[in-house]
Each structure stands twice: as C-alpha cells, then as structure tokens.
C-alpha cells in the first residue's frame, strides 16, 4: 500500500479583492492525490478563485472556484499529478468576496 503524507500550506489572510501567491518545493518525489482547501473560520470559498502550476505549467485550464476543493477530503476530486523532487508547486488565490478569507491548502501526497 502506498504511503500517504500531508503537506499543509498556510496561505494566510487573503483580503477582499486581494491575491496571494506562493510556492512549495518538495524534498522527494510525490504524487499529488488531492488538494483540500480549508477556510480557517469555516467561511465559504465559492467566490475565491485559484490557479495551480507545477514548474510554471498550469494544471488548471483556467481559474477555478476554490470551493470545489472545500469538501470533506473523501469527496474532493482526485488530482493524481506527479510532483518530482525539486519541482515547484505554485498557487495563485484571488478573493472575490467583500470580506477577507483565511486559507489553508492541504496537499494529500503519495510518496513516489
């Protein structure tokens, strides 16, 4: 059975109308099984958009509502993207609400 590990990225507060970007570089080969979005105050993320990249190649065709990744982890869509050692996982999150959102991204990773 494959070993699963979790990587939590603390995006922090995304202000109303604001955008936060960040990156993470893994220390070994992984497969991103899922990405789960958590709003720290249990607010909706349906009007927050996101784009994800691996090594500057987007794997979201366009902006997607982060709310689709805000479900119970077992209900979140499978990603199954390879993320090699030294690759760069990048995100860009834009908050379209009139109030700020505090966000964690939890990467469910399978050791490669």
């Amino acid at each position: 059975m494959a070993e699963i590990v979790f990587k939590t990225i603390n995006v922090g507060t995304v202000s109303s109308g604001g955008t936060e970007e960040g990156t993470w570089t893994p220390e070994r080969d992984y497969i991103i099984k899922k990405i789960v979005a958590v709003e720290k105050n249990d607010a909706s993320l349906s009007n927050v958009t996101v784009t994800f990249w691996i090594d500057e190649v987007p794997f979201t065709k366009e902006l997607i509502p982060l709310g689709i990744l805000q479900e119970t982890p077992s209900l979140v869509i499978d990603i199954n993207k390879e993320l090699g050692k030294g690759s760069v996982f990048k995100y860009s999150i834009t908050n379209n609400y009139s109030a700020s959102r505090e966000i964690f991204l939890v990467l469910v990773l399978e050791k490669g």
Side-chain angles (χ1 to χ4, degrees), residues 14-20 93-96:
V14 184
S15 62
S16 172
T19 299
E20 293 292 328
I93 297 174
T94 299
N95 178 8
N96 300 300

Side-chain angles (χ1 to χ4, degrees), residues 3-112:
E3 185 176 353
I4 298 293
V5 296
F6 299 89
K7 168 63 179 171
T8 299
I9 298 171
N10 185 354
V11 175
T13 301
V14 184
S15 62
S16 172
T19 299
E20 293 292 328
E21 294 185 346
T23 62
W24 175 63
T25 302
E27 74 289 348
R28 61 170 297 148
D29 292 342
Y30 290 108
I31 296 171
I32 301 173
K33 300 302 286 180
K34 295 177 183 274
I35 301 172
V36 181
V38 177
E39 205 292 328
K40 298 174 193 176
N41 300 302
D42 295 325
S44 174
L45 295 174
S46 296
N47 199 20
V48 175
T49 56
V50 66
T51 303
F52 295 115
W53 295 265
I54 294 176
D55 291 333
E56 298 300 324
V57 177
F59 65 90
T60 49
K61 187 171 181 179
E62 50 196 45
L63 295 174
I64 62 168
L66 194 53
I68 69 168
L69 303 177
Q70 194 181 13
E71 295 290 337
T72 303
S74 63
L75 300 177
V76 172
I77 189 168
D78 291 332
I79 303 289
N80 293 318
K81 290 298 241 178
E82 291 184 18
L83 182 63
K85 177 182 178 178
S87 294
V88 177
F89 170 80
K90 179 180 175 183
Y91 61 88
S92 178
I93 297 174
T94 299
N95 178 8
N96 300 300
Y97 284 106
S98 60
S100 63
R101 294 292 190 262
E102 295 182 54
I103 300 170
F104 285 127
L105 294 177
V106 181
L107 279 60
V108 180
L109 304 167
E110 180 179 293
K111 288 186 175 180

